[in-house]
Amino acid sequence: MAGSKYAYVRNFELPDPLLPGTFMLLRLDGHSFHRFSDEHGFTKPNDSRALELMDHAAKDLMEQYPDIVLAFGESDEFSFLLRKSAALYNRRQSKIVSTLASLFTSSYVFHWAKYFPDCPLKYPPSFDGRLVLYPSAREIRDYFSWRQTDTHINNLYNTTFWALVQQGGQNTTYAHATLKGTFSKDKHEILFSRFQINYNAIDARFRKGSTLVREELPEKTTANDDGAATGEPSDSGAPAAVKMRGRTKPRTQVVVLHCDIIKDDFWDARPEILAD
Amino acid sequence: MAGSKYAYVRNFELPDPLLPGTFMLLRLDGHSFHRFSDEHGFTKPNDSRALELMDHAAKDLMEQYPDIVLAFGESDEFSFLLRKSAALYNRRQSKIVSTLASLFTSSYVFHWAKYFPDCPLKYPPSFDGRLVLYPSAREIRDYFSWRQTDTHINNLYNTTFWALVQQGGQNTTYAHATLKGTFSKDKHEILFSRFQINYNAIDARFRKGSTLVREELPEKTTANDDGAATGEPSDSGAPAAVKMRGRTKPRTQVVVLHCDIIKDDFWDARPEILAD
Amino acid sequence: MAGSKYAYVRNFELPDPLLPGTFMLLRLDGHSFHRFSDEHGFTKPNDSRALELMDHAAKDLMEQYPDIVLAFGESDEFSFLLRKSAALYNRRQSKIVSTLASLFTSSYVFHWAKYFPDCPLKYPPSFDGRLVLYPSAREIRDYFSWRQTDTHINNLYNTTFWALVQQGGQNTTYAHATLKGTFSKDKHEILFSRFQINYNAIDARFRKGSTLVREELPEKTTANDDGAATGEPSDSGAPAAVKMRGRTKPRTQVVVLHCDIIKDDFWDARPEILAD
Amino acid sequence: MAGSKYAYVRNFELPDPLLPGTFMLLRLDGHSFHRFSDEHGFTKPNDSRALELMDHAAKDLMEQYPDIVLAFGESDEFSFLLRKSAALYNRRQSKIVSTLASLFTSSYVFHWAKYFPDCPLKYPPSFDGRLVLYPSAREIRDYFSWRQTDTHINNLYNTTFWALVQQGGQNTTYAHATLKGTFSKDKHEILFSRFQINYNAIDARFRKGSTLVREELPEKTTANDDGAATGEPSDSGAPAAVKMRGRTKPRTQVVVLHCDIIKDDFWDARPEILAD
């Protein structure tokens, strides 16, 4: 066949399978989102539209990839947990990382106009991805604790910082200086005494980030179930009733929560996330 | 600091640097583009709008990443050559593969409406990426010969196939059967004798694919050169006059060619592509 | 400094750290040991001298590398389990695999004459090594079950095969044919009815392989403990009383067992092997 | 089959092929050879017996592995160059590194008594190995220049240092202080003026290290060539007349040189080393 004398170049592509029996954790991060958020006028310290758009893209990923059992997002980053036994793309690293980063980005651009109807996208944003393996449930728990602690620390800082700037009239240099060396309780105190802001009353989305899980839908009792869902949970994916091994699995949908994922409650209620 | 007891999870992220001194070849492939092209009514055997959109996304990548010295695209795939000495992201594999796949996808969705003004995007498309290292120029030549030969073989087949279907009235099963076991000259003959199509007169874009290279812009002679280009080569990136090491490098722009890249001429005229 | 213009070549050496928090399993296999055992007149089906020499080399490895918590050997192979938290050589793969393969081989050659006093080594033998990561205790249990099952299957076959040849007068081709398609109970029957061999009475070393573990030495009660052991367990390593974190750890020695490691008993009695 | 329920553990062994079309450079280093050389009374600054033993082990490797086209050794380290096209063990990294480290070590122990007839080996020595890929001939040249420059620097220092200690009566601390901040010419001067040592007259083995290459044997003219060599170049391997693709390749033997490998002469005379 023509071309066969060149086909040897395929031999330079080396296999990159990931170790079986381990959790895969994919984290996507916005590329140069400091500039991107400036150019598109994101509200400070948090822009609900931008965060909801991130959630939407993450939800699209979970609906397309059943191996993703949990996702957590804050700011311009999102983490996705793939089950231990996931065989997605034969666990080939580049294939997984590139495809998921690509789809997330695609969904982000695709849905942009829904969340920013008055602000056209000026240029195409991008996200980088990295995939880390974790051998045990303990490390997965600690990974998500690490991210949510980060959310808390950043958001408390940013909320106080922008209160000083926007309501307190400080310039940004001065505001940073004001906060230097302060502890959490100091920031709570600044917010409350100077700006009458009760930090704990702030939108949980900002304080806790977004946690996406699958939830079972209630059984449908109508006889006329033809597979079409009546209440679409999102425009990009219907709740799926997947047939596996001869029986119908429960219909699930992806839901977005803004709750604590550091304590045991969240995990005790969802043992399937860390199950084999 | 709060959160520090969880920070150990970062230690599970392993380094993935690519061997220095080798060419990096990144190939992006459309994910499930058979369905995607059907859903969006792509013209058969080739859809110029779709191909031009691919070229546009590839051009955006080259304008953003100076390490890319050559790109070649056909159908729903694009290959990018990064120079041997590229230090992009410290040659970290996941970072490079994910970021470039992400930006290409982003650009594809971002520019969609320009090329398909009457056909809104129905859902977000995605691309996978893989990165292969090649130690020498010989293999790079052969890689691109492999892809362009593939373009030729596929396009000749598809052109004949769709002529049989669209003009010859065969159904697709019958058309495949007609072509089974035929050689190139047989397909040329079918095209010419039955459909008066001279294959070699078909748009070079379809026969040769798209090759993107950087070309120097002519020196500007106006005294009033303030860095603003007069003739923008694309809406996403101005020709760049980059200052490096104390002197102004020539202004270049990315151009799209549809030419032979198997023979020596193309390479002899552009020795910088394979240079160290 | 002279030579510094060449030192860039070090940059081509890429890091190869192994995933933390996983068990490392190193297996060494004799290289061309079929020929090696022929040239040195190994007794068939098992040569006790050769097996004891393997055990000795394995013991040397365990005494030199405290991270090895378990070893299992049969024929010309040996498997070594390194604890999950092992930080040996910063978990660099090549360093670990090469050093341990080297030391095992070195010890094998060094002690040869003790086990083969009348048979000088004719040429230097070698072993290859491979390192596999396992995320959980379950897989480690199954790994060792896999190897000991292999020992059983091979030894039952070989014992019957060589009985047919050595005592039954069959040539090797005929003996293989005799055994083709037989089950375990058939081989037991052949051994017992034709050769009066009760397979279960055969030396446990041959049936169960060699399992090496660390065992605590009884506390010494003599006041005059100067660190010199009174009963040396081997000539290559004294039982070690290692001081760590301010207290004396129990003195241990490596012992060789020929016991079942598939059932729970072995593991229940030694929880430290699979502990974190 | 018994055992098959455990065999899944094999799936955790991941492929580790090395990039094709690149030179492999394996370097072996003695493990804790400072202590080893003390325990075995190596002569300072150089022990010819130890160096010749290293050469012997390296020669054994080259005779066993035709893919090794060049080796260079100094002190307790040895570097081996495998040809670009080497397909040894399908280029599996662990297999290559472990097997070659093992055989080198084995040979070292095996031949010990020939070089140290009056000094029995006290314990088994070991070597670690690392494998680095180089894409081009330039880097291979520079790698060997790097090692030979290192040989020169170390040997000049050590020669001067031990002259100060052994002949000059300085203690080691004082001798180090004497040499601190000195340049090459200062050391030459110290050697010559204080100890009447002309550095360039010192044994080339010490100054240049050992370089092992294959050299063609002169054609044998006797009619009675039955493959047995008349003059054995070493006790561990006869010169090989290898039949490949229907013709007899020239008979070669491995020879040990102590020459400059930084300048072009060495390489110009042996173009086959860096050839494809």
Side-chain angles (χ1 to χ4, degrees):
Chain A
M1 177 183 133
S4 62
K5 73 172 169 172
Y6 304 125
Y8 80 92
V9 296
R10 285 182 299 191
N11 300 334
F12 287 75
E13 185 180 340
L14 303 179
D16 65 346
L18 294 158
L19 187 66
T22 50
F23 295 100
M24 299 184 215
L25 202 304
L26 174 76
R27 186 163 75 251
L28 304 178
D29 276 283
H31 177 71
S32 296
F33 257 54
H34 190 81
R35 177 191 159 210
F36 183 79
S37 60
D38 281 352
E39 294 255 8
H40 294 87
F42 283 14
T43 308
K44 304 288 185 187
N46 291 291
D47 189 305
S48 294
R49 302 164 299 174
L51 293 172
E52 284 166 20
L53 174 54
M54 292 288 286
D55 292 350
H56 197 147
K59 198 172 171 181
D60 278 2
L61 235 64
M62 287 186 73
E63 281 166 352
Q64 189 116 340
Y65 291 97
D67 281 321
I68 304 176
V69 290
L70 177 66
F72 176 78
E74 59 159 323
S75 182
D76 64 343
E77 74 166 53
F78 238 101
S79 297
F80 298 90
L81 174 65
L82 280 79
R83 76 178 81 241
K84 230 167 154 169
S85 58
L88 180 62
Y89 301 135
N90 289 321
R91 299 178 76 92
R92 284 183 290 147
Q93 173 150 329
S94 284
K95 179 88 175 180
I96 295 171
V97 173
S98 61
T99 305
L100 272 57
S102 171
L103 181 57
F104 185 89
T105 310
S106 191
S107 180
Y108 189 92
V109 178
F110 182 77
H111 296 300
W112 173 269
K114 287 189 193 68
Y115 296 90
F116 291 88
D118 303 321
C119 172
L121 195 55
K122 294 186 178 171
Y123 61 86
S126 60
F127 293 83
D128 71 49
R130 71 195 67 198
L131 200 153
V132 183
L133 295 180
Y134 290 106
S136 78
R138 179 72 262 152
E139 293 128 9
I140 294 301
R141 285 288 306 268
D142 288 345
Y143 176 86
F144 284 100
S145 294
W146 177 52
R147 298 323 302 145
Q148 195 170 52
T149 303
D150 186 75
T151 306
H152 169 71
I153 293 168
N154 289 337
N155 189 60
L156 177 57
Y157 188 96
N158 292 337
T159 301
T160 318
F161 176 85
W162 287 104
L164 290 168
V165 171
Q166 293 167 348
Q167 300 171 246
Q170 296 189 1
N171 65 32
T172 56
T173 308
Y174 195 79
H176 278 304
T178 303
L179 292 176
K180 197 166 177 191
T182 59
F183 293 102
S184 281
K185 65 172 171 44
D186 304 322
K187 299 190 189 77
H188 279 279
E189 178 61 22
I190 291 172
L191 282 173
F192 192 71
S193 62
R194 295 172 62 171
F195 307 109
Q196 291 73 55
I197 295 171
N198 176 359
Y199 182 75
N200 294 322
I202 284 175
D203 190 345
R205 174 186 291 280
F206 304 152
R207 288 181 295 112
K208 299 293 182 190
S210 293
T211 299
L212 279 68
V213 292
R214 296 182 199 283
E215 282 196 352
E216 287 190 27
L217 286 174
E219 290 278 337
K220 296 179 77 169
T221 49
T222 58
N224 187 21
D225 183 355
D226 59 0
T230 49
E232 295 284 343
S234 95
D235 56 356
S236 67
V242 186
K243 269 214 172 218
M244 285 178 70
R245 306 188 206 95
R247 65 171 204 83
T248 306
K249 282 179 57 172
R251 298 159 57 92
T252 61
Q253 63 178 341
V254 175
V255 296
V256 181
L257 310 172
H258 309 294
C259 64
D260 181 280
I261 57 172
I262 298 177
K263 300 203 200 79
D264 292 338
D265 295 359
F266 172 84
W267 303 90
D268 289 347
R270 295 169 185 82
E272 71 280 5
I273 292 177
L274 298 175
D276 269 358
Chain B
M1 176 184 131
S4 62
K5 73 172 169 173
Y6 304 125
Y8 79 92
V9 297
R10 284 182 299 191
N11 300 333
F12 287 75
E13 187 179 339
L14 303 179
D16 65 344
L18 294 159
L19 188 67
T22 50
F23 294 100
M24 299 185 216
L25 201 303
L26 174 75
R27 186 164 75 250
L28 303 178
D29 275 284
H31 177 72
S32 297
F33 257 54
H34 190 81
R35 176 190 159 210
F36 184 79
S37 61
D38 281 350
E39 294 256 7
H40 294 87
F42 283 15
T43 307
K44 305 289 184 186
N46 292 291
D47 188 306
S48 294
R49 302 163 301 172
L51 293 172
E52 284 167 20
L53 174 54
M54 291 287 288
D55 292 351
H56 197 146
K59 197 172 172 184
D60 278 3
L61 235 64
M62 288 187 72
E63 280 165 354
Q64 188 115 340
Y65 291 97
D67 281 320
I68 305 175
V69 291
L70 178 65
F72 176 78
E74 58 158 324
S75 182
D76 64 343
E77 74 165 55
F78 238 101
S79 297
F80 298 90
L81 174 65
L82 281 79
R83 76 177 82 242
K84 229 169 155 168
S85 59
L88 179 62
Y89 301 136
N90 288 322
R91 298 178 78 91
R92 285 182 290 146
Q93 173 150 328
S94 284
K95 179 88 174 178
I96 295 172
V97 174
S98 60
T99 304
L100 272 56
S102 170
L103 181 57
F104 185 89
T105 310
S106 192
S107 180
Y108 189 92
V109 178
F110 182 78
H111 296 299
W112 173 269
K114 287 190 195 67
Y115 296 91
F116 289 89
D118 304 321
C119 171
L121 195 54
K122 294 186 178 172
Y123 62 87
S126 60
F127 293 83
D128 70 50
R130 71 196 65 200
L131 200 154
V132 183
L133 296 180
Y134 290 104
S136 78
R138 178 71 263 151
E139 294 129 9
I140 294 300
R141 286 286 308 266
D142 288 345
Y143 176 86
F144 284 100
S145 295
W146 178 50
R147 298 323 303 146
Q148 194 169 53
T149 303
D150 186 75
T151 305
H152 170 71
I153 292 169
N154 289 336
N155 190 59
L156 178 56
Y157 188 94
N158 292 337
T159 301
T160 317
F161 176 84
W162 287 105
L164 290 169
V165 171
Q166 293 166 346
Q167 301 170 245
Q170 296 188 1
N171 66 30
T172 55
T173 309
Y174 195 80
H176 278 305
T178 302
L179 292 176
K180 194 164 178 195
T182 59
F183 293 102
S184 282
K185 66 173 171 40
D186 305 320
K187 298 189 191 76
H188 280 278
E189 177 61 21
I190 291 172
L191 283 172
F192 193 70
S193 62
R194 295 173 64 172
F195 307 109
Q196 289 74 53
I197 296 171
N198 176 359
Y199 182 75
N200 294 323
I202 285 175
D203 190 345
R205 174 187 290 280
F206 305 151
R207 289 182 295 110
K208 299 293 183 191
S210 293
T211 299
L212 279 67
V213 292
R214 297 180 197 283
E215 282 196 352
E216 286 189 26
L217 286 175
E219 290 278 337
K220 295 180 78 170
T221 48
T222 58
N224 186 22
D225 183 355
D226 58 1
T230 50
E232 294 284 343
S234 94
D235 56 353
S236 67
V242 187
K243 269 212 173 224
M244 286 177 70
R245 305 187 204 97
R247 66 172 203 81
T248 304
K249 283 178 55 172
R251 299 160 55 93
T252 61
Q253 63 177 342
V254 175
V255 296
V256 182
L257 310 172
H258 310 293
C259 64
D260 181 280
I261 58 172
I262 298 176
K263 299 200 201 80
D264 292 338
D265 294 0
F266 172 83
W267 304 89
D268 289 347
R270 296 168 183 83
E272 71 280 4
I273 292 177
L274 297 174
D276 267 357
Chain C
M1 177 186 132
S4 62
K5 74 171 168 172
Y6 304 125
Y8 79 92
V9 297
R10 284 182 300 190
N11 300 333
F12 287 76
E13 186 179 339
L14 302 180
D16 65 346
L18 294 158
L19 187 67
T22 50
F23 294 100
M24 298 184 217
L25 202 304
L26 174 75
R27 185 163 76 250
L28 303 178
D29 275 283
H31 177 73
S32 297
F33 257 54
H34 190 82
R35 176 190 160 211
F36 184 79
S37 61
D38 281 350
E39 295 255 7
H40 294 87
F42 282 14
T43 308
K44 304 290 184 187
N46 292 290
D47 189 304
S48 294
R49 302 163 302 174
L51 293 173
E52 284 167 19
L53 174 54
M54 291 288 286
D55 292 350
H56 197 146
K59 198 171 172 182
D60 278 2
L61 235 64
M62 287 187 72
E63 281 165 351
Q64 189 115 340
Y65 292 96
D67 281 320
I68 304 176
V69 290
L70 177 66
F72 176 79
E74 57 159 325
S75 183
D76 64 342
E77 73 165 54
F78 238 100
S79 297
F80 298 90
L81 174 65
L82 280 79
R83 75 178 83 243
K84 231 166 152 168
S85 58
L88 179 63
Y89 301 136
N90 289 321
R91 298 178 76 90
R92 284 182 291 146
Q93 173 149 327
S94 284
K95 179 87 174 181
I96 295 171
V97 173
S98 61
T99 305
L100 271 56
S102 170
L103 181 57
F104 185 91
T105 310
S106 191
S107 180
Y108 189 93
V109 177
F110 182 78
H111 296 300
W112 173 270
K114 287 189 194 67
Y115 295 90
F116 290 89
D118 304 321
C119 172
L121 195 54
K122 293 184 179 173
Y123 61 88
S126 60
F127 293 83
D128 72 48
R130 71 196 67 199
L131 200 154
V132 183
L133 295 180
Y134 290 105
S136 78
R138 177 74 262 152
E139 293 128 9
I140 294 300
R141 285 288 305 269
D142 288 345
Y143 176 87
F144 284 100
S145 294
W146 177 52
R147 297 324 301 147
Q148 195 170 51
T149 303
D150 186 75
T151 306
H152 170 71
I153 292 169
N154 288 338
N155 190 59
L156 178 57
Y157 188 96
N158 292 338
T159 301
T160 317
F161 176 84
W162 287 104
L164 289 169
V165 171
Q166 293 167 345
Q167 301 170 247
Q170 295 188 1
N171 65 30
T172 56
T173 308
Y174 194 80
H176 280 303
T178 302
L179 292 176
K180 194 166 180 192
T182 59
F183 294 101
S184 281
K185 66 173 171 44
D186 304 321
K187 299 190 190 74
H188 279 278
E189 179 61 23
I190 291 171
L191 283 173
F192 192 71
S193 62
R194 295 172 63 171
F195 306 109
Q196 289 74 55
I197 296 171
N198 176 358
Y199 182 74
N200 294 322
I202 285 174
D203 190 345
R205 173 186 291 281
F206 305 152
R207 290 181 294 113
K208 300 292 183 190
S210 293
T211 299
L212 279 68
V213 292
R214 297 182 196 282
E215 283 195 353
E216 286 189 26
L217 286 175
E219 291 277 336
K220 296 180 78 169
T221 50
T222 58
N224 187 21
D225 184 355
D226 58 0
T230 49
E232 296 282 344
S234 93
D235 55 353
S236 67
V242 187
K243 267 212 175 224
M244 285 178 68
R245 306 186 205 99
R247 66 173 204 82
T248 304
K249 282 179 54 172
R251 299 159 56 92
T252 62
Q253 63 177 339
V254 175
V255 295
V256 181
L257 311 173
H258 310 293
C259 64
D260 181 280
I261 58 172
I262 298 176
K263 298 201 200 81
D264 291 338
D265 294 359
F266 173 83
W267 303 90
D268 289 347
R270 296 168 184 83
E272 70 281 4
I273 291 177
L274 298 175
D276 269 357
Chain D
M1 179 184 132
S4 61
K5 73 171 169 174
Y6 304 125
Y8 79 93
V9 297
R10 284 181 299 189
N11 299 333
F12 287 74
E13 186 178 341
L14 302 179
D16 66 344
L18 295 158
L19 188 67
T22 50
F23 294 100
M24 299 184 216
L25 201 303
L26 174 75
R27 184 163 77 251
L28 303 177
D29 275 283
H31 176 71
S32 297
F33 258 54
H34 190 83
R35 177 191 160 210
F36 184 80
S37 62
D38 280 351
E39 293 257 8
H40 293 88
F42 283 14
T43 308
K44 306 288 185 186
N46 291 290
D47 189 305
S48 294
R49 301 163 301 172
L51 293 173
E52 284 167 19
L53 173 53
M54 290 288 287
D55 292 350
H56 196 147
K59 197 171 172 181
D60 278 2
L61 235 63
M62 287 186 71
E63 280 165 352
Q64 189 115 343
Y65 291 97
D67 281 319
I68 305 175
V69 291
L70 176 67
F72 176 78
E74 58 160 323
S75 184
D76 63 345
E77 74 166 54
F78 237 100
S79 298
F80 298 91
L81 174 65
L82 280 78
R83 75 177 83 242
K84 231 170 155 168
S85 59
L88 179 62
Y89 301 136
N90 290 320
R91 298 178 77 91
R92 284 182 290 148
Q93 174 150 328
S94 284
K95 179 87 175 180
I96 296 171
V97 174
S98 60
T99 304
L100 272 55
S102 170
L103 182 57
F104 185 90
T105 310
S106 191
S107 180
Y108 189 93
V109 177
F110 182 79
H111 295 299
W112 173 268
K114 287 189 194 68
Y115 295 91
F116 290 89
D118 303 321
C119 172
L121 195 54
K122 293 184 179 173
Y123 61 87
S126 60
F127 293 83
D128 71 50
R130 70 196 67 199
L131 200 153
V132 183
L133 295 180
Y134 290 105
S136 78
R138 178 72 264 150
E139 293 128 10
I140 294 300
R141 286 288 306 269
D142 287 346
Y143 176 87
F144 284 100
S145 294
W146 177 52
R147 297 323 303 146
Q148 195 169 53
T149 303
D150 186 76
T151 305
H152 170 71
I153 292 168
N154 289 338
N155 190 60
L156 178 56
Y157 188 96
N158 291 337
T159 301
T160 317
F161 176 86
W162 288 104
L164 290 168
V165 172
Q166 293 166 346
Q167 300 169 247
Q170 296 189 0
N171 65 31
T172 55
T173 308
Y174 195 81
H176 278 304
T178 303
L179 292 176
K180 195 164 179 194
T182 59
F183 293 102
S184 280
K185 65 172 172 44
D186 304 321
K187 299 190 190 74
H188 280 278
E189 178 62 22
I190 291 171
L191 283 172
F192 193 71
S193 62
R194 294 170 64 171
F195 307 108
Q196 290 73 55
I197 295 171
N198 175 359
Y199 181 76
N200 294 322
I202 285 175
D203 191 344
R205 172 187 291 281
F206 305 152
R207 290 181 294 111
K208 298 293 183 191
S210 293
T211 299
L212 280 67
V213 293
R214 296 181 197 283
E215 281 195 353
E216 284 188 29
L217 287 174
E219 291 278 336
K220 296 180 76 169
T221 49
T222 57
N224 187 19
D225 184 354
D226 58 1
T230 48
E232 295 285 344
S234 95
D235 56 354
S236 67
V242 187
K243 270 214 172 219
M244 284 178 70
R245 305 189 204 93
R247 67 173 203 80
T248 303
K249 284 178 55 171
R251 298 161 57 91
T252 62
Q253 64 177 340
V254 175
V255 296
V256 182
L257 311 172
H258 309 292
C259 64
D260 180 280
I261 57 171
I262 298 176
K263 298 200 202 80
D264 291 338
D265 294 0
F266 172 83
W267 303 89
D268 289 347
R270 295 167 185 83
E272 71 282 3
I273 292 177
L274 298 175
D276 270 356

